Amino acid sequence: MPSTNPTEAGTSPARGIATGPVAALFDAVAILIFVVIGRASHEEGYAPVAFLHTLWPFLVGCAAGWSITYVYAHVRSADFFDHDFRPDRVVPVGIVIWVCTVAVAMVLRFILSQGVAASFVIVATVVLGLLLLGWRAIFALLGRRAIFALLGRRAAA
């Protein structure tokens, strides 16, 4: 029997909900877009190894942010198996993931001598903030619209 619960179904932008796998995919795509734009703006090309060389530090940083927010959701709950991990929320999950993505990536890039010029750090912080928080803000907006639409239908009935 198919599930009618949008949380179990994976995603429901109309309700402003994105489950873990869908939210992780959105974050990965956001980082991928950032890397594609960055490599294109510097005319660095898209050779698979070079592309992955640029991409992986940001994905590792994103995974670190996900890990921190997931563990925090479990620690914060009264029952370890009952948690409120909502990876589609802007605050605090999205902000922690964004900050970790940039911070960890810059540390890895520094350690591996990939370059961490101040201008790059600023651009990466701003663009990744727009991308990683942007889709979450859109989901939140769509969720509010769905709630107001539902309330409007009930008021009219």
Side-chain angles (χ1 to χ4, degrees), residues 107-138:
V107 168
L108 289 172
R109 288 179 61 87
F110 177 78
I111 290 170
L112 299 170
S113 301
Q114 290 185 5
V116 288
S119 59
F120 175 66
V121 174
I122 292 167
V123 169
T125 302
V126 171
V127 173
L128 285 169
L130 290 172
L131 293 171
L132 293 173
L133 300 178
W135 75 260
R136 287 175 169 88
I138 290 168

Side-chain angles (χ1 to χ4, degrees), residues 3-122:
S3 173
T4 58
N5 183 348
T7 306
E8 293 172 12
T11 182
S12 175
R15 293 183 183 214
I17 297 170
T19 61
V22 172
L25 178 65
F26 283 8
D27 281 347
V29 168
I31 293 168
L32 185 68
I33 290 168
F34 165 72
V35 170
V36 167
I37 291 170
R39 291 192 66 84
S41 68
H42 294 288
E43 299 175 4
E44 293 178 339
Y46 301 103
V49 172
F51 187 79
L52 290 174
H53 186 70
T54 305
L55 179 66
W56 78 266
F58 294 98
L59 291 177
V60 169
C62 186
W66 269 77
S67 298
I68 290 168
T69 55
Y70 185 78
V71 168
Y72 179 74
H74 281 285
V75 169
R76 185 181 60 184
S77 72
D79 180 12
F80 186 77
F81 295 105
D82 179 34
H83 60 86
D84 187 26
F85 179 61
R86 289 278 310 275
D88 59 339
R89 289 187 179 156
V90 174
V91 178
V93 177
I95 292 174
V96 171
I97 290 171
W98 168 44
V99 169
C100 285
T101 299
V102 174
V104 171
M106 294 307 154
V107 168
L108 289 172
R109 288 179 61 87
F110 177 78
I111 290 170
L112 299 170
S113 301
Q114 290 185 5
V116 288
S119 59
F120 175 66
V121 174
I122 292 167

